[in-house]
């Protein structure tokens, strides 16, 4: 393993310091907890939006702090949920008087720690709603979809909930819209080669040279099957089949798409993948309103990618089109 770092002991602190230096005072580090970053500009009376999770998936999650986006982030150790005290501090920094909604991937440690933090916040008279994101269709069946993991679909759910908060919606309404976005956001990933944990140098899974892991999780969790590498067209077709059944349950025909690189997959490959998925969507009579291509939810230098498709209804379409600006995602205002 080769990593350009100083020491493992200061890895996260050094990373956050570099990020903050790039943001030039628009994003601030909490004086009470260095693992909490928050947006400089606040809006009294707005629902606060907290995001968070383990480090190692950059630019998630701190790359989504910004205008009409997340207000604060709770940063965990590598591949580890942020602690309850870190989440609590992020809640306090996001609180602007109308309650706080917390969004994070659906992993046991995150769920537990965000629940504990919400209970602690309630003791300080801050109303909190938690929304674990559940977009990874490979991790559980439709009948057990509340057990699904959160992967790159985090982007769309967070974007729309943050837009709702920016429009002055109540905490209850933001939570309702988040549940709607969650239900309509579907992802599946493929692993081609492992990433390594910079804290211990260990690969997060093993594959033979000619194998891929279909349905792999972002921490190296086993997928649906190990198989031989296929040409892009055949592989994307197989992935689309895993999403198509649930997509077909929605009458609306507009979708948004994210082709997410897991760390070392090249933009050339991601564009080829996008070409294939767009053709499949068109063949099924689905119109792509917007496409995001790039590294959003990564696992260090893992090779592979995920495809996320969200089926839009009118509410979600309007929220997605709200202008937003963050370090890893920018959305222009759409003029009718």
């Amino acid at each position: 393993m080769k990593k350009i770092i100083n020491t493992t002991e200061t890895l996260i602190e050094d990373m956050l310091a570099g990020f903050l230096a790039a943001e030039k005072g628009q994003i601030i580090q909490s004086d009470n907890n260095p693992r909490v970053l928050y947006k400089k500009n606040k809006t009294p009376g707005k629902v606060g939006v907290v995001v968070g999770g383990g480090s190692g998936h950059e630019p998630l999650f701190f790359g989504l702090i910004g205008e009409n986006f997340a207000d604060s982030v709770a940063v965990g150790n590598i591949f580890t949920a942020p602690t309850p005290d870190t989440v609590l501090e992020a809640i306090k920094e996001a609180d602007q008087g109308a309650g706080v909604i917390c969004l994070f991937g659906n992993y046991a440690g995150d769920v537990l720690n965000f629940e504990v933090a919400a209970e602690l916040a309630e003791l300080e008279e801050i109303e909190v709603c938690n929304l674990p994101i559940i977009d990874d269709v490979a991790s559980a069946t439709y009948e057990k979809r509340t057990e699904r993991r959160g992967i790159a679909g985090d982007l769309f759910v967070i974007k729309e909930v943050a837009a709702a908060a920016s429009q002055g919606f109540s905490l209850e309404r933001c939570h309702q819209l988040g549940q709607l976005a969650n239900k309509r956001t579907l992802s599946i990933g493929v692993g081609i080669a492992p990433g390594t944990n910079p804290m211990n140098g260990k690969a997060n899974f093993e594959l033979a040279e000619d194998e891929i892991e279909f349905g792999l999780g972002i921490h190296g969790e086993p997928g649906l099957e190990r198989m031989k590498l296929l040409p892009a067209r055949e592989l994307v077709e197989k992935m689309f089949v895993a999403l198509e059944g649930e997509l077909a349950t929605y009458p609306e025909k507009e979708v948004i798409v994210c082709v997410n690189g897991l760390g070392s997959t090249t933009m050339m490959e991601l564009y080829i993948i996008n070409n294939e998925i767009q053709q499949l969507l068109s063949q099924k009579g689905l119109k792509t309103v917007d496409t995001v291509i790039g590294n959003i939810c990564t696992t260090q230098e893992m090779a592979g990618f995920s495809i996320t498709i969200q089926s839009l209804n009118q509410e979600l379409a309007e929220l997605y089109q709200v202008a937003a600006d963050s370090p890893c995602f920018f959305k222009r205002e759409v003029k009718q």
Side-chain angles (χ1 to χ4, degrees):
M1 179 192 75
K2 295 179 181 178
K3 299 280 185 183
I4 302 172
I5 63 173
N6 291 314
T7 68
T8 55
E9 290 77 15
T10 64
L11 189 156
I12 294 175
E13 287 68 26
D14 291 347
M15 172 185 69
L16 295 179
F19 173 73
L20 290 165
E23 295 310 309
K24 300 187 182 300
Q26 296 307 303
I27 297 174
I28 299 170
Q29 191 169 39
S30 169
D31 291 333
N32 299 318
N33 190 317
R35 298 293 181 87
V36 173
L37 310 182
Y38 63 92
K39 185 171 63 179
K40 176 182 178 181
N41 297 323
K42 299 190 178 185
T43 306
K46 183 186 85 72
V47 169
V49 178
V50 173
V51 297
S55 296
H57 302 300
E58 293 73 34
L60 277 186
F61 284 89
F62 54 70
L64 295 180
I65 299 178
E67 181 182 356
N68 296 341
F69 238 126
D71 294 296
S72 69
V73 61
V75 179
N77 287 325
I78 299 294
F79 308 150
T80 305
T83 60
D85 64 302
T86 298
V87 178
L88 177 60
E89 185 63 26
I91 290 170
K92 290 179 179 180
E93 292 292 2
D95 179 33
Q96 292 154 90
V100 174
I101 185 166
C102 298
L103 301 106
F104 49 91
N106 187 36
Y107 300 92
D110 294 271
V111 171
L112 176 61
N113 290 355
F114 274 86
E115 285 179 353
V116 171
E119 292 172 1
L120 293 172
E122 297 281 355
L123 295 175
E124 300 193 29
E125 300 185 344
I126 303 172
E127 186 177 4
V128 178
C129 283
N130 283 343
L131 186 68
I133 299 172
I134 51 171
D135 57 301
D136 183 4
V137 303
S139 56
T141 63
Y142 178 78
E143 290 74 23
K144 296 182 178 181
R145 59 189 178 278
T146 58
E147 300 175 12
R148 287 176 175 172
R149 302 179 290 242
I151 52 175
D154 291 5
L155 171 66
F156 292 155
V157 180
I158 293 168
K159 166 69 183 75
E160 289 151 359
V161 170
S166 76
Q167 301 301 293
F169 293 6
S170 69
L171 179 60
E172 180 182 10
R173 185 63 179 140
C174 288
H175 190 243
Q176 289 172 345
L177 289 165
Q179 290 175 313
L180 176 67
N182 222 356
K183 184 178 179 182
R184 285 173 169 257
T185 305
L186 309 169
S187 302
I188 188 165
V190 170
I192 298 172
T196 51
N197 185 329
M199 301 301 290
N200 57 28
K202 294 182 179 179
N204 53 6
F205 63 94
E206 294 181 359
L207 281 175
E209 187 64 29
D210 61 345
E211 283 185 324
I212 64 172
E213 184 86 20
F214 185 83
L216 180 84
I218 57 170
H219 302 100
E221 299 95 337
L224 296 171
E225 63 176 304
R226 288 202 168 183
M227 50 186 280
K228 302 299 182 183
L229 180 62
L230 299 172
R233 180 163 299 146
E234 295 176 39
L235 182 55
V236 173
E237 285 177 354
K238 184 177 175 68
M239 296 173 76
F240 183 69
V241 168
L243 306 176
E244 183 181 11
E246 289 184 47
L247 278 175
T249 64
Y250 301 110
E252 295 86 1
K253 297 299 181 182
E254 291 189 336
V255 299
I256 49 179
V257 176
C258 177
V259 179
N260 171 65
L262 294 176
S264 68
T265 303
T266 65
M267 289 301 294
M268 177 186 72
E269 294 165 278
L270 297 181
Y271 284 127
I272 291 169
I273 291 159
N274 184 56
N275 180 50
E276 300 301 334
I277 194 64
Q278 297 296 343
Q279 290 185 57
L280 288 168
L281 290 167
S282 180
Q283 290 167 15
K284 298 297 181 179
L286 297 169
K287 177 185 176 183
T288 303
V289 172
D290 194 31
T291 303
V292 179
I293 303 175
N295 290 324
I296 302 295
C297 178
T298 66
T299 306
Q300 295 294 287
E301 75 280 20
M302 186 190 291
F305 67 96
S306 62
I307 296 172
T308 300
I309 303 174
Q310 185 189 78
S311 175
L312 295 172
N313 67 358
Q314 183 175 348
E315 289 176 310
L316 293 180
E318 291 174 355
L319 291 171
Y320 183 74
Q321 298 294 8
V322 171
D325 190 1
S326 74
C328 85
F329 183 86
F330 174 75
K331 179 71 180 170
R332 291 185 179 87
E333 180 181 1
V334 175
K335 297 181 179 180
Q336 303 296 330

